[in-house]
Each structure stands twice: as structure tokens, then as C-alpha cells.
Amino acid sequence: VVSVAVTLDPEVIVMTGGLGSNSILLDPLRRAVEAISPLTVKLELARFGTRAGLVGATTYAQRHLQKAITSGA
């Protein structure tokens, strides 16, 4: 997490998968990152938890199909 933060300097890092669905681990992770990171890192849990990848893929497919339908391709 710190490597990503230092390399990319994102506004927020969204935790997904098993960690993203476990709010109990978020506060200890925030404290650990704060202790070793030279930057302020905002960590958030994924809104859709372990389903984040599935929701993202479905949304992407829906947008792609809608664009194909409306452009006549």
C-alpha cells in the first residue's frame, strides 16, 4: 500500500477483495501505513466488497454494449 502511495500519489486507495470486505482490518492497516508512509494516504473499503470486480466488469460490459448499440456498430 505504501509503495503504491509513494509511486502514484493517489487521492485515495480503495481496498478490495478479502481485505476490502473486512472493516475490522482497515483501522490497523491505516495505522501501519501512517507509521511508515512519508505521505498522507487515504484508505477506503470498496463499496461492493468482494463483488467489486464483478460489478466493475458488468458495468464495463453494459457501457460497451450500449455504445455499440447507439453507434450502430
Side-chain angles (χ1 to χ4, degrees):
V1 172
V2 174
S3 295
V4 170
V6 171
T7 303
L8 301 175
D9 193 17
E11 186 175 322
V12 64
I13 296 177
V14 179
M15 306 307 294
T16 64
L19 183 59
S21 64
N22 192 339
S23 61
I24 294 171
L25 297 177
L26 188 60
D27 284 335
L29 179 61
R30 281 180 176 146
R31 286 192 298 275
V33 168
E34 184 178 301
I36 63 173
S37 177
L39 303 173
T40 300
V41 180
K42 183 176 179 184
L43 298 175
E44 297 293 334
L45 295 179
R47 180 183 306 168
F48 298 108
T50 58
R51 296 178 297 146
L54 177 61
V55 172
T58 303
T59 301
Y60 174 81
Q62 180 183 22
R63 289 180 182 164
H64 179 73
L65 289 171
Q66 185 64 37
K67 185 177 179 181
I69 290 169
T70 57
S71 69

